[in-house]
């Protein structure tokens, strides 16, 4: 246990507090972009996700022998960061096609209750960028992830 402002917190409580703080920062950032430059929201989120995951994907590629192993490590790291649980359903390296499912998406949870997008459809643009970076680096070809269906909304 670690004392924090006179209170003792267990490791799980500290982790929950960090996730809640990250969520609040994320929502505040989204709201600011929505208020001042809504036309760039999707692009900014995608690019932020892409750039933030490049080092992770490069490291996974260097240490693991197969694309599947490297992707599993990336998915586990994203889950540990609170992005949600990712599942690689199928991977066709030759065609440059993958099917990935996400459960308990951080982005969906964060935007519930706030009117963020101009359309009713929510897209997890940050996660799309993160997955695009992982797939592009690990498969060695430029990949852009598309959200085909959202089961969380």
């Amino acid at each position: 246990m670690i004392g924090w402002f006179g209170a003792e917190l267990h490791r799980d409580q500290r982790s929950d507090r960090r996730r809640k703080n990250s969520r609040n920062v994320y929502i505040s950032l989204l709201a600011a972009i929505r208020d001042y430059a809504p036309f760039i929201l999707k692009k900014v989120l995608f690019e932020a996700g892409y750039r933030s995951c490049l080092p992770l994907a490069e490291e996974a590629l260097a240490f693991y022998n197969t694309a599947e192993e490297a992707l599993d490590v990336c998915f586990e790291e994203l889950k540990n960061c609170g992005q949600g649980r990712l599942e690689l359903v199928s991977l066709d390296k030759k065609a440059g096609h993958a099917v990935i499912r996400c459960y308990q998406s951080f982005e969906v949870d964060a935007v519930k209750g706030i009117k963020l997008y101009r359309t009713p459809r929510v897209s997890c643009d940050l996660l799309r960028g993160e997955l695009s970076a992982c797939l592009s680096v690990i498969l060695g070809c430029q990949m852009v992830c598309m959200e085909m269906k959202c089961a969380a909304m």
Side-chain angles (χ1 to χ4, degrees):
M1 291 189 278
I2 292 178
W4 188 74
F5 295 119
E8 291 186 352
L9 297 175
H10 292 281
R11 182 175 294 190
D12 292 342
Q13 290 171 314
R14 290 191 318 262
S15 179
D16 287 344
R17 181 172 284 169
R18 279 193 296 262
R19 278 194 197 103
K20 286 177 184 173
N21 186 51
S22 295
R23 181 182 182 275
N24 291 339
V25 169
Y26 181 73
I27 291 170
S28 298
L29 179 63
L30 292 180
I33 295 170
R34 177 200 62 204
D35 293 345
Y36 296 104
F39 53 90
I40 66 167
L41 184 62
K42 292 176 78 58
K43 184 69 173 169
V44 166
L45 290 174
F46 181 88
E47 284 296 319
Y50 191 92
R51 292 178 188 189
S52 69
C53 265
L54 283 175
L56 170 64
E58 290 165 352
E59 190 173 326
L61 179 64
F63 285 103
Y64 294 91
N65 296 325
T66 68
E68 291 82 1
E69 287 177 315
L71 286 171
D72 282 344
V73 167
C74 289
F75 292 176
E76 186 65 24
E77 184 64 23
L78 289 170
K79 182 183 96 178
N80 291 340
C81 291
Q83 283 294 68
R85 187 172 60 83
L86 298 162
E87 173 189 13
L88 181 64
V89 177
S90 67
L91 177 63
D92 183 346
K93 292 178 262 192
K94 290 180 183 174
H97 183 266
V99 176
I100 300 166
R101 289 192 183 122
C102 178
Y103 305 93
Q104 300 157 338
S105 169
F106 166 78
E107 283 184 87
V108 170
D109 183 50
V111 300
K112 280 186 179 176
I114 63 171
K115 187 175 179 184
L116 186 62
Y117 292 99
R118 294 178 183 175
T119 64
R121 181 174 177 192
V122 174
S123 180
C124 293
D125 296 305
L126 183 72
L127 184 58
R128 283 189 328 102
E130 292 168 338
L131 293 174
S132 294
C134 291
L135 289 166
S136 294
V137 168
I138 292 168
L139 298 181
C141 62
Q142 190 62 36
M143 302 275 290
V144 177
C145 292
M146 307 291 282
E147 183 175 342
M148 304 309 290
K149 183 171 125 182
C150 180
M153 291 302 281

